[in-house]
Structure formats: C-alpha cells, structure tokens
Amino acid sequence: MSAVLGLALFSPFLTLPTPALGEPVMIEQAIVQARRRGSCLSLRCNDAEWRLASAIELHGRATDWRSTAPSLPGQRHWVRLSAPARAREHRDNYSNRWRIGTLYGIQVLRDGPVQLGVEFGAGYRLAPRSDDGIGQAGPVFRGSIDFGRQFGERARLSQHVLFETGNGQSFVKQSLGLDIDLWPAWTLETDYVIRHRTYGASGSETAESWLGIRRRF
C-alpha cells in the first residue's frame, strides 16, 4: 500500500503512466525506473539507450547516436575527417643571410624501395662562399637531385647532388652515403663528398670522407 500511495502522490511529477492496482510486478518496475530518473544528473539518462534502440527499429536503418542525440546551445557538431594523401609537389620561398629565392620540388618515386626527388629554382646570392655555391654575388640557378635505395631492412644507400650556376661560374656537390643497422641502437655510417667549382676555363675539386658508428639514445 505504501508503494501505491507514493505513486499516487508523486504521479503528476513523473512521466510514467501509473500501473494498474493489484499488479506487484508492474508496480515494482515503475518504482525502479522512477528512481533511475530521479537520480540521473547527466545529459543522457539510464534509459536513453532503450529509446535509441526503439527509434532505430522504427525507422528500419542503423543510426549513429551522435545524429540522434539532442543538441544543446553552443554544442559543436560532429564532423568526419579524413587524412588526405601527401602531395608529391611542393613550392617554397626562402631568404637567409646568403641567398633569397624560390624553390620547386617533386617526388618522382617515394612509395617503394627506391626514392627519387628533384628540386630546382632561381634566386639571388647575397654573400659568396658562405655556403655551398658559387664564389660571387649575383643571380643564380640552383637545384638538387636526391636518390635513395633500401636494401632489405638494414642497409640504405643515399646520393645527393647539389648544383648552382651563375655569372659564368658553376658549383657541384656530390654526397654518397651508406648506412647499415648493426643493432637496434647502433648504425654504421659512411659518407663521401666531392665538391667541384668551375671559374671560366679553370676549376678546383676537393673530396672528403667519413666512416663511423652512431648510437641513438
């Protein structure tokens, strides 16, 4: 009787229909559901998933809970994002203490064991002999070629060719390297660099090499 009396007193404040008298099971279910609603302090109450399931069955199609949940003022909408593929081409404008100019590059090969990239552009050299390049200030044409080849999981061969020309001079730098993974944190590195400068009919050439073991921490 106490349960029936409580439902009769508080039935105007509940959204549930009052069960018929003499049905203890229905009365008990109504009391449990009323307690759940009374103690719900979140935006989704305990019986929200049952309403969602009923709506899905009614419309006959699968529905995402983000699209069926009620929206609140100031609430952000869900947006499905997709990661686009990396572009093969890139453009760059640069300026430093030695040069200013523009650069265009393209990755010809990048997804297999062989990688090939090309860059070229025009600029103006401000300071001669400050970096790899010609020994006179003025307009220049500059570019590079990068080649890489992976051998299995441990060895990689890389070659970088840099060139710059302008004012009757030219500069070429070739770098050849071979890296071999000995252990997970140890790598055997070899580098061989050749620099060639041309001044009119004459020129000069220098070479240097390096061999060492590098440990990664």
Side-chain angles (χ1 to χ4, degrees):
M1 293 298 295
S2 60
V4 177
L5 181 60
L7 289 175
L9 293 177
F10 294 99
S11 59
F13 303 99
L14 298 178
T15 58
L16 297 175
T18 304
L21 298 177
E23 298 181 2
V25 177
M26 296 184 61
I27 294 175
E28 184 178 357
Q29 292 179 355
I31 294 175
V32 172
Q33 192 168 2
R35 289 177 179 176
R36 288 183 178 179
R37 290 194 175 186
S39 61
C40 179
L41 301 179
S42 61
L43 297 180
R44 287 186 70 197
C45 291
N46 297 331
D47 60 345
E49 60 271 12
W50 298 104
R51 293 186 178 182
L52 178 60
S54 301
I56 294 176
E57 294 176 359
L58 179 63
H59 292 83
R61 64 179 185 273
T63 307
D64 191 0
W65 68 268
R66 287 185 284 265
S67 61
T68 58
S71 59
L72 300 177
Q75 181 180 5
R76 296 183 178 180
H77 296 283
W78 289 85
V79 179
R80 299 183 181 274
L81 302 178
S82 60
R86 295 180 294 113
R88 290 181 177 270
E89 302 180 8
H90 64 274
R91 296 174 177 84
D92 186 21
N93 298 322
Y94 66 91
S95 63
N96 49 42
R97 295 179 295 174
W98 313 290
R99 294 184 320 274
I100 58 174
T102 183
L103 187 67
Y104 171 79
I106 180 173
Q107 295 291 327
V108 182
L109 300 173
R110 67 176 185 180
D111 298 327
V114 179
Q115 292 84 37
L116 178 63
V118 180
E119 290 182 343
F120 58 88
Y124 190 90
R125 175 165 287 279
L126 303 174
R129 297 186 181 278
S130 298
D131 61 343
D132 291 328
I134 64 174
Q136 185 178 353
V140 296
F141 179 78
R142 187 179 178 92
S144 64
I145 301 174
D146 286 291
F147 173 79
R149 179 68 166 87
Q150 188 76 28
F151 297 95
E153 299 180 355
R154 293 181 175 271
R156 173 177 173 80
L157 176 68
S158 60
Q159 184 176 7
H160 178 74
V161 179
L162 171 68
F163 64 88
E164 183 179 278
T165 180
N167 296 323
Q169 302 182 17
S170 61
F171 170 83
V172 179
K173 175 184 177 181
Q174 300 185 38
S175 303
L176 183 64
L178 178 62
D179 298 341
I180 302 176
D181 294 335
L182 304 177
W183 294 281
W186 296 84
T187 303
L188 175 64
E189 298 181 352
T190 61
D191 291 319
Y192 185 72
V193 181
I194 301 176
R195 291 180 175 88
H196 179 81
R197 289 183 171 89
T198 301
Y199 308 93
S202 61
S204 64
E205 187 173 288
T206 60
E208 60 185 43
S209 60
W210 183 83
L211 172 64
I213 297 178
R214 185 185 302 273
R215 187 182 187 278
R216 298 184 301 271
F217 294 93

